[in-house]
């Protein structure tokens, strides 16, 4: 794996931020997420720019698969900027989790090429009803006959499931998990958009009724492949949360400097100062936890499980606290549809439960440290 230097990381971040500032304005985010599309689409223009001009689809893929081989830390740099803008693109679902699973299972380069240039998108179908991975509660069951493999079952809370061309599905074969590739347009696949709190994170319920599937293989046990891909996705998600938290702090402090009450900027009041200071401390704690998780995933140092769980818990709690504090600093206007505060509250509450709530990750961290 190629190491991403500090200068390269800074340049990558600047490039992605410039694209988001130009194309993922708040007005555009609202139009895509809360407009007539119903909230199950994504910003195709921004996604094509990111994939074809910036190269986010290939940045972490190994060189033999047509990528740049930079690993999870590069994904984290991109995610940080997308989190700041709440960009409605399938980066986490397609580029990070689904493509990561496909690479780990040795899928052919022709399929990867479509995902790299943004022509196609994919998503992973592996979470149970609570939104996390549980090998004892896999939603789909695979069976084999003379025509090949087929899947049955219903999966919930599939990120960007309504917009995906390819489905990377974890299904069981005699209680053991296996990974399959399914065309979302295939007979026997029914996709229903779900009502979600944060429409910049659309989800879908997918029902398989004897849907044709291709079984994928890979190096090592399937459980290890899934855990490795999930840890990478959660680490990248934590970087996205840090970006959103950073932006929330900027919004709150800008407002505190300009909003006046009783003849003074509200930022001069001690209560507001304390809130902003707490947000900054939480942000830096979250930033450190996220970077540690990304580096551990790249280094495969044996500590990635507990570092990833720590990052997910810390970053979820930091973004939740910051988004609520920002809303309160804004006062009454913060509760209106026209203000941006609710967009970040919704993102915070949604990211908090994706791939496991903070409590579950604190428990996993304690178990890894043999505290339980």
């Amino acid at each position: 794996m190629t190491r991403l230097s500090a200068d390269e990381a800074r340049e990558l971040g600047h490039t992605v931020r410039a694209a988001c500032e130009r194309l993922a304005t708040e007005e555009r985010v609202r139009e895509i997420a809360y407009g007539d599309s119903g909230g199950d689409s994504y910003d195709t223009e921004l996604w094509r720019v990111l994939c074809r001009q910036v190269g986010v689809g290939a940045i972490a893929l190994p060189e033999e698969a047509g990528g740049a081989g930079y690993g999870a830390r590069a994904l984290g740099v991109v995610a940080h900027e997308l989190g700041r803008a709440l960009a409605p693109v399938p980066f986490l679902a397609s580029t990070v989790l689904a493509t990561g699973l496909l690479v780990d299972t040795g899928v052919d380069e022709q399929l990867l090429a479509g995902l790299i240039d943004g022509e196609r998108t994919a998503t992973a179908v592996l979470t149970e009803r609570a939104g996390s991975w549980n090998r004892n509660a896999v939603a789909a069951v695979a069976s084999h006959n003379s025509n090949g493999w087929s899947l049955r079952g219903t999966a919930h809370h599939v990120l960007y499931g309504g917009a995906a061309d390819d489905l990377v599905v974890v299904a069981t074969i005699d209680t053991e998990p296996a990974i399959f590739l399914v065309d979302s347009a295939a007979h026997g696949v029914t996709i229903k958009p779900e009502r979600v709190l944060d429409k910049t994170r659309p989800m879908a319920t997918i029902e398989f009724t004897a849907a044709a599937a291709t079984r994928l293989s890979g190096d090592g046990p399937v459980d290890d492949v899934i855990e490795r891909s999930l840890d990478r996705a959660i680490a990248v998600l934590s970087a996205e949360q840090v970006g959103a938290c950073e932006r929330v702090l900027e919004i709150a402090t800008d407002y505190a400097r300009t909003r006046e009450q009783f003849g003074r900027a509200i930022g001069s009041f001690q209560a507001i100062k304390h809130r902003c200071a707490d947000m900054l401390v939480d942000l830096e704690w979250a930033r450190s936890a996220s970077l540690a998780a990304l580096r551990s995933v790249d280094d495969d140092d044996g500590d990635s499980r507990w570092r990833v769980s720590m990052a997910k818990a810390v970053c979820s709690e930091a973004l939740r606290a910051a988004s609520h504090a920002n809303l309160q600093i804004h006062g009454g206007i913060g509760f209106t549809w026209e203000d941006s505060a609710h967009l970040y509250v919704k993102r915070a509450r949604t990211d908090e439960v994706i791939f496991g709530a903070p409590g579950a990750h604190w428990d996993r961290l304690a178990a890894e440290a043999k505290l339980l």
Side-chain angles (χ1 to χ4, degrees):
M1 182 183 66
T2 307
R3 294 286 181 181
L4 190 70
S5 70
D7 288 341
E8 289 171 329
R10 191 160 39 250
E11 182 62 28
L12 174 61
H14 288 166
T15 303
V16 177
R17 183 175 299 191
C20 289
E21 288 176 346
R22 181 167 61 90
L23 298 173
T25 61
E26 183 181 326
E27 181 181 3
R28 179 62 174 165
V29 169
R30 287 174 181 264
E31 179 186 345
I32 295 294
Y34 296 94
D36 296 335
S37 65
D40 59 349
S41 64
Y42 62 95
D43 191 331
T44 54
E45 182 182 4
L46 174 59
W47 187 235
R48 287 197 179 102
V49 168
L50 291 172
C51 289
R52 297 179 184 179
Q53 298 182 24
V54 185
V56 302
I59 199 166
L61 296 183
E63 294 180 12
E64 57 270 22
Y70 279 120
R73 189 171 173 229
L75 294 173
V77 172
V78 175
H80 179 274
E81 300 303 329
L82 298 181
R84 284 178 54 92
L86 303 181
V89 291
F91 177 72
L92 182 66
S94 183
T95 300
V96 180
L97 186 53
T99 303
L101 280 168
L102 290 172
V103 170
D104 289 344
T105 52
V107 76
D108 65 273
E109 293 184 13
Q110 184 176 357
L111 175 59
L112 288 178
L115 298 175
I116 288 172
D117 67 11
E119 278 297 318
R120 298 179 68 84
T121 63
T123 190
V125 182
L126 50 74
T127 55
E128 39 91 22
R129 278 186 175 271
S132 57
W133 159 248
N134 182 349
R135 80 180 313 277
N136 297 317
V138 177
V141 177
S143 57
H144 190 270
N145 56 34
S146 58
N147 294 322
W149 290 97
S150 63
L151 305 183
R152 294 182 180 275
T154 303
H156 300 270
H157 315 315
V158 180
L159 284 172
Y160 279 96
D165 300 298
D166 301 298
L167 308 175
V168 185
V169 186
V170 175
T172 55
I173 304 173
D174 298 328
T175 73
E176 290 298 316
I179 302 174
F180 295 86
L181 181 63
V182 179
D183 189 330
S184 64
H187 178 73
V189 178
T190 303
I191 302 175
K192 298 178 181 178
E194 297 177 352
R195 289 188 63 186
V196 293
L197 177 65
D198 177 17
K199 290 192 175 182
T200 67
R201 281 254 194 261
M203 301 183 190
T205 296
I206 301 181
E207 182 178 356
F208 301 102
T209 309
T214 301
R215 186 175 181 180
L216 305 176
S217 59
D219 295 330
V222 171
D223 287 284
D224 291 346
V225 171
I226 296 171
E227 290 288 353
R228 184 167 61 248
S229 293
L230 266 175
D231 282 349
R232 180 170 55 237
I234 294 170
V236 173
L237 173 61
S238 73
E240 201 172 82
Q241 290 173 307
V242 171
C245 191
E246 181 180 87
R247 181 59 186 144
V248 166
L249 177 58
E250 292 173 1
I251 293 170
T253 53
D254 286 346
Y255 186 78
R257 278 192 291 264
T258 56
R259 174 72 167 93
E260 291 189 358
Q261 197 167 23
F262 308 114
R264 299 166 56 185
I266 63 173
S268 65
F269 298 123
Q270 192 173 44
I272 302 297
K273 289 180 180 179
H274 285 177
R275 282 192 178 276
C276 292
D278 287 341
M279 292 165 70
L280 177 59
V281 171
D282 287 345
L283 169 62
E284 294 308 320
W285 186 24
R287 196 192 308 276
S288 296
S290 177
L291 286 173
L294 290 166
R295 287 169 180 163
S296 187
V297 168
D298 274 343
D299 294 342
D300 194 18
D301 58 10
D303 290 330
S304 60
R305 282 181 60 85
W306 72 265
R307 291 187 189 276
V308 163
S309 282
M310 181 175 67
K312 179 60 164 66
V314 168
C315 295
S316 294
E317 293 175 355
L319 180 54
R320 179 186 62 198
S323 63
H324 282 238
N326 176 52
L327 187 150
Q328 291 165 351
I329 288 171
H330 277 70
I333 196 173
F335 289 84
T336 64
W337 177 260
E338 288 76 14
D339 194 80
S340 65
H342 70 95
L343 298 175
Y344 288 92
V345 171
K346 290 172 179 176
R347 172 59 70 90
R349 286 300 191 174
T350 299
D351 283 359
E352 187 176 357
V353 296
I354 291 177
F355 306 139
H361 283 281
W362 284 127
D363 287 344
R364 188 168 94 157
L365 174 59
E368 289 289 320
K370 297 182 170 53
L371 299 177
L372 292 179

